[in-house]
């Protein structure tokens, strides 16, 4: 699998080497689709069980939020 560089242009200018799956996840984080829905699509596209992908993605998403690559958005009350 190819690795790609994800880099911030502002702030501390963090950069991370990521695989295409993480890059796809970050690309889909625009605040309009819940993370669980994005993971479901990625799991189906990559033929991975959703619970397995969710377990692996948890620490990665936490790290990406910590570094500022993505922002946590509170779910709207419905």
């Amino acid at each position: 699998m190819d690795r790609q560089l994800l880099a911030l242009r502002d702030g501390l200018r963090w950069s991370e080497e990521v695989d295409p799956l993480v890059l796809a996840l970050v690309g889909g984080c625009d605040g309009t689709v819940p993370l669980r829905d994005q993971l479901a699509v990625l799991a189906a596209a990559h033929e991975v069980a959703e619970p397995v992908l969710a377990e692996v993605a948890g620490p990665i998403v936490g790290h990406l939020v910590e570094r500022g690559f993505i922002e946590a958005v509170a779910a709207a009350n419905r």
Side-chain angles (χ1 to χ4, degrees):
M1 211 182 267
D2 293 293
R3 307 284 291 175
Q4 298 195 14
L5 188 64
L6 185 63
L8 291 176
R9 298 189 306 187
D10 297 321
L12 295 175
R13 296 181 172 226
W14 293 110
S15 63
E16 298 281 337
E17 224 178 83
V18 298
D19 63 37
L21 190 61
V22 173
L23 192 60
L25 178 64
V26 171
C29 287
D30 64 0
T32 62
V33 179
L35 179 60
R36 71 178 165 275
D37 293 347
Q38 289 183 44
L39 291 175
V41 169
L42 290 172
H46 293 275
E47 298 178 352
V48 177
E50 282 184 52
V52 172
L53 184 59
E55 185 176 331
V56 171
I60 294 169
V61 169
H63 177 76
L64 293 171
V65 169
E66 183 178 272
R67 289 285 172 107
F69 288 104
I70 57 178
E71 292 182 30
V73 178
N77 293 333
R78 294 179 187 190

